[in-house]
Amino acid sequence: MDKGLLQRKTRYIVGNRKVAIIGAGFVGASIAYALAIRDIAREIVLVDINHEKTDGEAQDIRHGIPSMGTVDLYAGDYQDCADCDLIIVTAGRGRKAGESRLDLTNENVKIMHSVIDSIEKYYMRGVILIISNPVDIMTYKVTEWMGLADGMVFGSGCLLDSSRFVRSIADYLDLNTGVVNGYVVGEHGDAQVPVWSHVTIGGMPIKEYCEDVKIEWNEEIKKAIADHTRTMGSEIIKAKGKTQYGIATCVCNLADAILNQRPTIASVSSALKGEHGVRDVALSVPSVVGPAGVQQRIREKWAPEEYRGFFDAVEQMRRIMAVLQN
């Protein structure tokens, strides 16, 4: 066999593994903390309109780094984005109890536009990862505003939903999450779609696994898990007022794929270019994420009901985009 076939890959150049995090609220600071203790980046700059608080967050995280990692972490300004390999945007108002992610749309689009204008003044290179909600709309608008190569702007999308989905399945089966493979596609919100047709346990289809080990498995149980996955964020916000740790740890996996050139597959949001016949919206599909952001969107086959759910999310996004205040 030609060894070149086994070694074929596209090379992308990553510079100094520098990350800018725009927004030093609970989510932004938690992401900085998670990246620091995982020692994924060499340099992290926190940028926020409240420079005093941002400096306090940076100092607090720095004080624990000597025993945990080597990253240089500090408060900075938008000009520090110029030579970043990854720019993570968390700026915007957070979701309140009883409020959907889409309720934030017009207010956070205005905030995001201001942020992107500030980034664009100094931008030279680097992947832009959107965390701010509603993340699918934000991702599409930033893609439009920045005009970068396909995939260089993408959003966390259903990454956290997929993690919650796997956690819920593992809890039901009383297994470690490491043996559960599954993900959620579509909107990061109420129109998310669990792809049951591709859920496996140790490589075995979940229905087959449950039959083999004599665990009850039916549509009612599937619905309960899907509903729990969809409402988990709202339940956490109701209980503690915010969510931050789940998304922070999930983002670490994406940052590692980008900064350390270890491509991974994740259900993240990007502007679709004809996948499943869809264009002009950003939604989550399984994607190869690496140094160039979303390097490929995987066109896999789903069950008919999963396609219907995904296309419902597409139509919902298009309706919102049609009335969005620019």
Side-chain angles (χ1 to χ4, degrees):
M1 179 183 290
D2 183 355
K3 291 183 179 180
L5 292 175
L6 301 179
Q7 298 172 345
R8 181 167 53 85
K9 61 179 69 176
T10 303
R11 294 290 183 182
Y12 297 95
I13 297 174
V14 172
N16 53 8
R17 290 167 55 212
K18 180 179 177 181
V19 178
I21 300 174
I22 313 300
F26 290 109
V27 172
S30 296
I31 290 173
Y33 178 68
L35 289 174
I37 62 174
R38 285 277 308 273
D39 208 17
I40 289 172
R42 287 180 183 163
E43 187 176 350
I44 300 173
V45 54
L46 279 171
V47 179
D48 194 284
I49 193 171
N50 187 340
H51 191 82
E52 183 178 4
K53 177 185 182 299
T54 306
D55 187 56
E57 295 285 5
Q59 296 268 14
D60 193 17
I61 297 170
R62 282 172 62 91
H63 293 167
I65 289 174
S67 61
M68 298 293 292
T70 59
V71 65
D72 180 18
L73 192 152
Y74 57 93
D77 298 302
Y78 281 104
Q79 63 189 22
D80 294 304
C81 295
D83 58 343
C84 284
D85 298 301
L86 175 61
I87 301 170
I88 301 172
V89 183
T90 72
R93 179 172 70 79
R95 189 159 56 119
K96 299 175 183 176
E99 189 175 43
S100 76
R101 295 176 183 89
L102 295 178
D103 290 334
L104 301 173
T105 303
N106 284 319
E107 187 174 346
N108 276 359
V109 163
K110 292 176 182 177
I111 294 171
M112 183 63 73
H113 205 168
S114 175
V115 166
I116 296 303
D117 282 347
S118 298
I119 291 173
E120 200 168 15
K121 291 176 184 176
Y122 306 101
Y123 180 87
M124 294 174 60
R125 60 183 175 85
V127 173
I128 299 178
L129 171 57
I130 307 300
I131 310 296
S132 310
N133 277 316
V135 67
D136 302 301
I137 292 172
M138 298 297 159
T139 298
Y140 188 83
K141 296 303 290 184
V142 174
T143 301
E144 182 181 77
W145 294 330
M146 288 298 296
L148 302 179
D150 182 26
M152 287 292 286
V153 174
F154 75 101
S156 53
C158 289
L159 179 71
L160 179 55
D161 302 299
S162 297
S163 181
R164 289 168 173 166
F165 183 52
V166 167
R167 175 79 269 172
S168 297
I169 293 170
D171 288 346
Y172 174 71
L173 298 178
D174 196 21
L175 290 172
N176 186 288
T177 54
V179 300
V180 181
N181 184 49
Y183 53 87
V184 173
V185 299
E187 182 213 353
H188 174 51
D190 292 339
Q192 64 183 238
V193 181
V195 184
W196 287 110
S197 61
H198 286 268
V199 174
T200 59
I201 310 299
M204 183 185 298
I206 188 168
K207 181 180 180 182
E208 184 178 333
Y209 173 82
C210 289
E211 289 173 351
D212 187 61
V213 299
K214 305 298 187 293
I215 293 177
E216 184 179 8
W217 188 250
N218 53 44
E219 292 301 317
E220 185 178 353
I221 292 168
K222 288 167 63 176
K223 184 179 184 303
I225 291 173
D227 289 346
H228 184 52
T229 301
R230 186 177 61 254
T231 61
M232 210 175 292
S234 296
E235 291 168 4
I236 294 170
I237 290 171
K238 182 179 179 181
K240 58 171 277 191
K242 55 189 169 291
T243 63
Q244 76 228 64
Y245 302 124
I247 188 60
T249 49
C250 285
V251 165
C252 281
N253 292 330
L254 299 179
D256 187 44
I258 293 165
L259 300 175
N260 297 312
Q261 304 186 62
R262 290 197 277 250
T264 189
I265 295 177
S267 186
V268 294
S269 182
S270 62
L272 301 180
K273 303 293 185 182
E275 293 81 8
H276 306 296
V278 177
R279 294 180 181 272
D280 302 324
V281 295
L283 288 172
S284 289
V285 296
S287 306
V288 177
V289 178
V294 168
Q295 297 176 185
Q296 183 176 347
R297 287 174 284 272
I298 300 171
R299 301 171 187 248
E300 60 183 3
K301 294 180 180 179
W302 301 329
E305 63 274 15
E306 293 161 357
Y307 277 115
R308 285 194 293 271
F310 183 77
F311 292 138
D312 286 345
V314 170
E315 291 308 311
Q316 175 169 296
M317 286 297 106
R318 285 176 174 163
R319 285 195 297 269
I320 294 168
M321 297 291 290
V323 299
L324 188 62
Q325 297 174 13
N326 292 305

